Amino acid sequence: MYFAALLARTDDGWEASDTELDNVETLADLADLAREASFEDDTVLALIEQEGAWFGVVRVDGEDDPRVFVSNAVVAGRSSYGAMLVDELIGRDDTDADELDDLDLDGTEDGEPDPVEDEAEGADAAEPRPDGPLGDHELLSDLGVGGKELLALEGDALSEIADALGCTDVLEAVR
């Protein structure tokens, strides 16, 4: 089971909202969702966790590219939302596989796939994800959670992040 919330920084502190990720298929979708929650292009944090197995933080500052951290790439890669973040971080792009699925191979010489290429593509697809944390572990440093602290978080990491940001009550209200 997932928990996902958006924390939007305002002049008065942080505002939290729980969020559904049903329509989120890419990091760009998640960044757009975060920008919608933004107040005057200020910082928005998308926090995602799966039953204490892994957590992810996506930071969106205005129109800048999102910054991403995932606590455990291998474990996160086994879940749909975690895999979305990990694949973005390691640069894996599934569009080539989608294009191959759309091809109508008719069995002629020109349409037959090359077995050598297929083996190479299969090796790329099976490439293991990096073990342990992945991404920008300094993405919260200016907000009071240094890289070493972020890397050391375990258990209820999102509550510890909220505590460091001074918005525990706000986050807990949407849990």
Side-chain angles (χ1 to χ4, degrees), residues 56-84:
V57 179
V58 178
R59 178 177 178 159
V60 178
D61 294 300
E63 292 300 318
D64 292 346
D65 288 339
R67 296 167 62 189
V68 181
F69 174 80
V70 176
S71 65
N72 188 320
V74 171
V75 176
R78 295 181 190 135
S79 67
S80 58
Y81 300 117
M84 172 190 67

Side-chain angles (χ1 to χ4, degrees), residues 26-49:
T26 66
L27 180 60
D29 293 341
L30 185 57
D32 289 343
L33 188 65
R35 286 185 183 102
E36 289 173 13
S38 176
F39 294 90
E40 299 178 14
D41 288 336
D42 213 339
T43 301
V44 177
L45 303 175
L47 305 174
I48 304 170
E49 72 179 354

Side-chain angles (χ1 to χ4, degrees), residues 6-166:
L6 296 174
L7 285 176
R9 189 161 67 177
T10 69
D11 292 338
D12 299 324
W14 293 91
E15 282 194 21
S17 59
D18 61 342
T19 187
E20 290 294 324
L21 299 177
D22 294 341
N23 296 324
V24 173
E25 295 180 8
T26 66
L27 180 60
D29 293 341
L30 185 57
D32 289 343
L33 188 65
R35 286 185 183 102
E36 289 173 13
S38 176
F39 294 90
E40 299 178 14
D41 288 336
D42 213 339
T43 301
V44 177
L45 303 175
L47 305 174
I48 304 170
E49 72 179 354
Q50 184 181 16
E51 298 176 342
W54 66 273
F55 70 93
V57 179
V58 178
R59 178 177 178 159
V60 178
D61 294 300
E63 292 300 318
D64 292 346
D65 288 339
R67 296 167 62 189
V68 181
F69 174 80
V70 176
S71 65
N72 188 320
V74 171
V75 176
R78 295 181 190 135
S79 67
S80 58
Y81 300 117
M84 172 190 67
L85 298 176
V86 171
D87 288 349
E88 182 73 30
L89 286 168
I90 63 174
R92 186 174 292 168
D93 184 9
D94 291 333
T95 56
D96 293 338
D98 293 340
E99 289 172 6
L100 285 176
D101 289 341
D102 293 340
L103 288 178
D104 184 14
L105 301 175
D106 61 4
T108 63
E109 284 184 22
D110 292 337
E112 290 181 12
D114 181 355
V116 174
E117 284 182 27
D118 284 350
E119 286 178 22
E121 287 176 18
D124 286 344
E127 180 180 311
R129 291 181 168 89
D131 192 20
L134 183 65
D136 183 356
H137 63 275
E138 295 291 337
L139 81 164
L140 300 175
S141 292
D142 64 322
L143 300 174
V145 182
K148 287 181 182 179
E149 290 111 347
L150 189 61
L151 291 169
L153 290 177
E154 294 180 4
D156 194 6
L158 298 188
S159 291
E160 292 185 44
I161 291 170
D163 193 34
L165 298 175

